[in-house]
Amino acid sequence: MAGGRVELDIQKSSGQSYRSLPTIAEESAKAQQMLSEKSKDEMTSHELKNLGITFNEKSDYIKAQEFLNAALEKVEKETLSENEKNFIIASCHYGLAICKRELGRPHAAIALFIKASKQVEKISEEIKGLHDLRYVIARNIGISYLVIEDYANAISNFSAAVHIAEKTGQTGRIPAVKSYLGLSTVLAGKLTEGLKLLEEARLLYPKNVREESMDWAAHRYHMGRALENTNKPMDALVEYAESRRLRMQIDCNKIGLVYYHSRLSDSNIGCARVYLSLGRNLEAAASLDEVLASCKVLASAGKT
């Protein structure tokens, strides 16, 4: 905190702590305090950018886009070094890309992630947050390629994210991207290699963070998809069911309805597919009823 003002730790909220709910809640509280202390017009582009990304973490994509676009306007009027300016612009493009992907426009998201990456290349010296930005861009463009089933590009970007995390000693960031890398590798047809990566990722998650880690819930879903693709339906069902349990216990007020129902529907779709393959039709129907309920919420929130 500087001069009595709240300073958001945007690197912390972007995933350094296994995307834990307490961390997101802490950063959201700081955001609310900042909003109570300053009007949007009084904020710097740096503050507007950080608020936009914090709203992303709560899946409030309308407010996220509002603050990120305001930051892009403000940064052009401020006296900043070229490196600082490029960092803020890249961060805003990154944040806007997240909004596009989570609202169902992965191709538009990829274009913005690439734009952010090119902006990062213009930064000529190491500045605070640069490694973090490189990491989250690589991770999230990888997720976007995974969504559109471009597994080669997903693998390339997840591998880059693992390398960045390892190079910078940010061990808390490695499990999530290694899990995504493992799933992408399985879906690309390299089953043994992919499952090995997923098992390695599993061992990296500290047991004390798992119940409140959205990344751990995602990992259980990834393992479910991988096992389903390797013709192990009962094992896959265990993983899908656990990912569903973990996601069901999340307070959607902390992360927003879009993120909550997007991820919960993924888990329920996985359960439904496996139930159908096992001939357990009533259980499949129950899972699909939950998917339909989530889809109605997502449609009302503007997700396509």
Side-chain angles (χ1 to χ4, degrees), residues 9-21 23-24 27 57 94 128-129 131-133 135-136 139 164-165 168-176 204-206 209 213-215:
D9 184 356
I10 203 62
Q11 282 73 47
K12 186 177 179 183
S13 66
S14 294
Q16 202 165 18
S17 300
Y18 312 96
R19 299 198 69 221
S20 69
L21 293 172
T23 298
I24 292 172
E27 296 307 308
E57 291 290 342
Y94 156 75
K128 183 181 178 181
H131 290 314
D132 304 288
L133 183 57
Y135 168 88
V136 293
R139 167 180 167 145
I164 292 166
T168 56
Q170 298 180 83
T171 56
R173 292 183 180 269
I174 296 171
L204 293 174
Y205 281 100
V209 306
S213 167
M214 292 187 292
D215 280 344

Side-chain angles (χ1 to χ4, degrees), residues 41-258:
D41 289 340
E42 293 175 306
M43 293 179 190
T44 66
S45 60
H46 174 76
E47 290 169 329
L48 290 165
K49 175 261 295 180
N50 280 1
L51 282 166
I53 293 176
T54 299
F55 281 122
N56 261 346
E57 291 290 342
K58 289 177 62 65
S59 72
D60 188 341
Y61 302 114
I62 302 302
K63 281 188 178 179
Q65 290 176 92
E66 175 190 338
F67 278 86
L68 292 166
N69 283 318
L72 286 172
E73 289 182 17
K74 179 67 71 75
V75 76
E76 298 296 341
K77 302 171 185 177
E78 294 174 327
T79 303
L80 299 170
S81 71
E82 282 301 303
N83 285 329
E84 291 173 313
K85 182 176 178 180
N86 286 326
F87 180 81
I88 290 169
I89 292 171
S91 299
C92 289
H93 289 322
Y94 156 75
L96 291 167
I98 295 287
C99 295
K100 297 294 185 188
R101 188 190 69 218
E102 293 301 319
L103 292 173
R105 299 181 61 194
H107 290 90
I110 288 168
L112 279 168
F113 283 129
I114 291 172
K115 194 172 184 180
S117 185
K118 289 181 178 178
Q119 201 75 34
V120 165
E121 290 172 5
K122 296 179 182 179
I123 299 173
S124 60
E125 64 183 30
E126 293 300 324
I127 60 176
K128 183 181 178 181
L130 185 57
H131 290 314
D132 304 288
L133 183 57
R134 287 191 176 116
Y135 168 88
V136 293
I137 290 173
R139 167 180 167 145
N140 283 284
I141 194 171
I143 294 172
S144 300
Y145 279 122
L146 184 58
V147 169
I148 64 171
E149 301 180 358
D150 183 343
Y151 302 129
N153 274 314
I155 288 168
S156 174
N157 281 280
F158 290 138
S159 297
V162 170
H163 175 72
I164 292 166
E166 289 176 341
K167 182 180 177 181
T168 56
Q170 298 180 83
T171 56
R173 292 183 180 269
I174 296 171
V177 281
K178 184 163 278 194
S179 182
Y180 276 111
L181 177 58
L183 174 59
S184 301
T185 303
V186 167
L187 295 176
K190 300 176 182 177
L191 307 184
T192 302
E193 180 183 346
L195 285 170
K196 181 175 181 292
L197 286 164
L198 282 161
E199 291 290 354
E200 289 174 359
R202 175 158 295 190
L203 295 174
L204 293 174
Y205 281 100
K207 291 184 178 180
N208 65 315
V209 306
R210 293 179 178 182
E211 281 294 309
E212 295 182 318
S213 167
M214 292 187 292
D215 280 344
W216 173 249
H219 167 73
R220 299 303 297 259
Y221 170 77
H222 296 164
M223 188 66 86
R225 282 195 69 186
L227 291 168
E228 185 184 1
N229 274 266
T230 53
N231 199 29
K232 296 179 180 178
M234 294 305 297
D235 292 337
L237 186 57
V238 170
E239 298 294 330
Y240 283 140
E242 179 62 4
S243 73
R244 177 186 178 277
R245 182 191 72 80
L246 290 163
R247 287 165 168 173
M248 282 285 291
Q249 72 181 13
I250 293 172
D251 181 355
C252 63
N253 292 320
K254 293 180 179 178
I255 60 167
L257 289 172
V258 174

